[in-house]
Amino acid sequence: MNNKTQTAPAVALHDDDKVLLDVKGLQTYFLTDAGIVKAVDGVSFTLHEGETLGLVGESGCGKSVTNLSIMRLIPSPPGKIVGGEIMFEGEDILKLPEKELRGIRGNKVSMIFQDPMTSLNPFLKISTQMVETIMLHNKDVSKKEALTRSIEMLKLVGIPSAEKRIQSYPHQFSGGMRQRVMIAMALSCNAKVLIADEPTTALDVTIQAQILELIKDLSVKLRTAVIIITHDLGVVAGMCDKVCVMYAGRIVEKADTDDLYQNPAHPYTEGLIMSVPRMDVEHKNDRLFSIEGQPPNVIDLPPCCPFHPRCHKDMEICKHAYPPTKAVGKGHEVSCWLYVEEAERNEALKKTMEDAARTQAAALEAAAKNRKTKEAAK
C-alpha cells in the first residue's frame, strides 16, 4: 500500500435515485476434496450511476471472486453461485440464460483484469481485437464503423497516433499502454459498470497514478460506475466514493470513504489504516502497525467471527458466533460484536452455548446407538 498512488480526493457524483447494481446476499462456494470453500458468503452492496466503489482486503478475502460472480465467470466445477441476487437495472443476472447474459457481459458490464498481457491475444493486432468486441455486441455496426469507434476510444484513453498504433500487436505496447488498451476495449460499448480488478498491479508507481486518473476522469465524463478491487488504501482514498472492507468472504464494514478513514469501526479496518505510512505524522523510530497472524482458511469455517484470533479487542462471544450487521452512522455499517448491546451479546452467547451442548449431546447419543448396533450385529 503506497501513498504515492493517491490522486485527488474522489467527488461523489452519483445519483442516489438510480441504482445500477444491487448485490444481495451473494454466496459463491467451491467444492474441493478438502471441503467447501466459502469464497463469498453473504456479500451485499449497491452501486449507483457515476459512483466509484472500492473493495479492499487481504489476498483471498473474496474480492475478485465477488466480481467474477457478477460477470458469471466462475469456473464450474468446482465453483458455484449457490445463493443471492445480482440485480442489474432491475434484472437478476443470475437468472438470465447465457444468450441474454452475453448482451450484458462485456457490453453493459465490463471488466479490466490485473495483467493486460494475459488478457490480450498476442497473435492478433489491437484493431482486430477491438473491432471484434464492438461488432459482437452491436450487430448493426459495420467493420469500418467499428474501426473508427476503436480509434476514438484509443484517443480517449490517451494513446498517441491512435490511427497507426491500432495496427500494432500487444507486445509492441508498454505495460501502461496495454492497460490503456484494455480500458478502451472495456468502454468501447458504452459500458455502464466498469470492474477494475487491481488494474495497476503490474505497473510502476508513475504509470499507476496515470491509469487511476484516467479511470477516474472517464467515470466522470461517461457517467460510468466503477468497482475498484485493490489492496492499496491510497488508491481507495483518492478514487472511491464508498468502500467495502472484506474479510474471509464477507463484508465486515462499509461506509463513505471519508467516514471510513476518519471513523473506522471494525478492528480489521483500523489495522489496515494504521499499517499505512503517513506523510503528515512523524514516526521517528516507531515501527508501523501490523495485524498479527494470517487470514483464516475459509474451508468449512466455524460459525464465529473469523477475525477473532487476530483481534486485540476480541470477546468470548466472538469465538462462538458471527456478529450481526449494525449501523454506526449514516450509510456506515459494521459486523462486529463491539457494536452490539451487552444484553444482546449475552443472550447470543447463551443461545450459542446451548445449541453447542445440544449438538454435542446428539452426537454422543448417535455414537452410542451406533456402538450398540455394532455389538448387536456381533
Side-chain angles (χ1 to χ4, degrees):
M1 291 180 282
N2 192 325
N3 280 352
K4 290 182 180 179
T5 59
Q6 289 190 28
T7 57
V11 178
L13 296 172
H14 57 276
D15 181 355
D16 287 328
D17 296 325
K18 184 156 187 183
V19 176
L20 284 179
L21 188 67
D22 188 6
V23 179
K24 301 176 182 177
L26 179 64
Q27 294 175 300
T28 302
Y29 296 171
F30 291 83
L31 306 179
T32 69
D33 293 337
I36 300 175
V37 178
K38 296 182 179 180
V40 175
D41 195 16
V43 165
S44 301
F45 61 84
T46 58
L47 184 68
H48 298 82
E49 183 182 76
E51 182 179 62
T52 301
L53 171 71
L55 284 182
V56 299
E58 293 167 288
S59 295
C61 70
K63 305 185 300 294
S64 294
V65 175
T66 296
N67 288 289
L68 288 173
S69 299
I70 292 173
M71 300 289 286
R72 270 180 56 184
L73 291 175
I74 297 296
S76 179
K80 186 176 182 181
I81 300 173
V82 299
E85 295 180 343
I86 303 174
M87 306 299 294
F88 176 72
E89 294 188 319
E91 195 169 26
D92 191 354
I93 290 177
L94 298 181
K95 295 180 180 177
L96 293 178
E98 187 64 29
K99 185 176 181 181
E100 290 184 34
L101 181 62
R102 289 196 201 103
I104 294 177
R105 184 198 295 146
N107 186 20
K108 295 180 179 180
V109 181
S110 293
M111 193 165 185
I112 307 169
F113 295 92
Q114 291 187 30
D115 187 357
M117 195 60 197
T118 59
S119 302
L120 293 166
N121 190 324
F123 298 103
L124 297 178
K125 292 180 179 179
I126 298 299
S127 59
T128 303
Q129 299 183 58
M130 291 194 69
V131 167
E132 180 184 34
T133 299
I134 294 173
M135 294 184 69
L136 179 66
H137 294 292
N138 300 273
K139 303 298 184 182
D140 56 342
V141 173
S142 67
K143 189 173 182 179
K144 184 178 180 180
E145 290 172 332
L147 181 61
T148 301
R149 171 67 175 167
S150 300
I151 293 172
E152 290 174 353
M153 291 307 300
L154 291 183
K155 289 179 179 179
L156 185 64
V157 298
I159 293 181
S161 305
E163 293 86 351
K164 294 181 180 179
R165 296 307 304 276
I166 197 171
Q167 300 302 332
S168 301
Y169 289 90
H171 72 271
Q172 294 175 296
F173 287 80
S174 66
M177 286 298 178
R178 282 196 293 267
Q179 197 60 289
R180 288 174 185 265
V181 170
M182 288 303 302
I183 295 171
M185 289 180 67
L187 297 175
S188 60
C189 296
N190 298 317
K192 295 184 178 182
V193 176
L194 177 65
I195 301 173
D197 188 355
E198 299 191 45
T200 60
T201 297
L203 307 177
D204 63 60
V205 174
T206 305
I207 304 302
Q208 283 181 23
Q210 293 176 7
I211 295 299
L212 293 172
E213 193 63 42
L214 173 62
I215 293 174
K216 183 178 173 182
D217 289 344
L218 291 175
S219 173
V220 174
K221 288 179 183 176
L222 305 178
R223 300 290 295 156
T224 305
V226 179
I227 300 176
I228 293 273
I229 304 171
T230 182
H231 296 93
D232 193 334
L233 291 180
V235 170
V236 172
M239 285 281 296
C240 301
D241 301 313
K242 292 193 306 188
V243 187
C244 292
V245 180
M246 292 193 67
Y247 190 81
R250 303 191 188 192
I251 292 176
V252 297
E253 186 169 3
K254 54 182 156 184
D256 292 340
T257 304
D258 289 344
D259 191 14
L260 186 89
Y261 276 77
Q262 292 171 16
N263 306 294
H266 199 283
Y268 179 58
T269 308
E270 290 180 0
L272 290 179
I273 294 174
M274 289 170 62
S275 66
V276 179
R278 292 182 57 177
M279 302 300 291
D280 59 339
V281 175
E282 186 177 348
H283 290 286
K284 295 182 180 180
N285 296 322
D286 296 340
R287 292 177 62 89
L288 281 173
F289 178 83
S290 63
I291 303 174
E292 296 181 358
Q294 298 293 325
N297 186 341
V298 292
I299 295 177
D300 298 323
L301 272 175
C304 64
C305 175
F307 187 63
H308 86 82
R310 309 172 69 187
C311 183
H312 62 286
K313 297 180 179 179
D314 70 313
M315 300 174 285
E316 186 63 26
I317 182 63
C318 303
K319 303 172 186 177
H320 300 282
Y322 193 85
T325 300
K326 296 290 184 178
V328 293
K330 184 179 180 181
H332 193 161
E333 297 180 351
V334 61
S335 296
C336 181
W337 285 111
L338 290 171
Y339 301 92
V340 178
E341 294 290 339
E342 185 177 0
E344 187 178 344
R345 287 203 307 263
N346 293 337
E347 182 63 28
L349 181 58
K350 180 182 176 182
K351 184 178 183 302
T352 302
M353 300 301 284
E354 289 174 350
D355 290 344
R358 280 194 292 269
T359 301
Q360 186 178 18
L364 290 173
E365 184 179 349
K369 287 182 179 179
N370 188 39
R371 186 167 56 252
K372 289 181 179 178
T373 302
K374 287 182 178 179
E375 290 174 353
K378 292 179 180 179

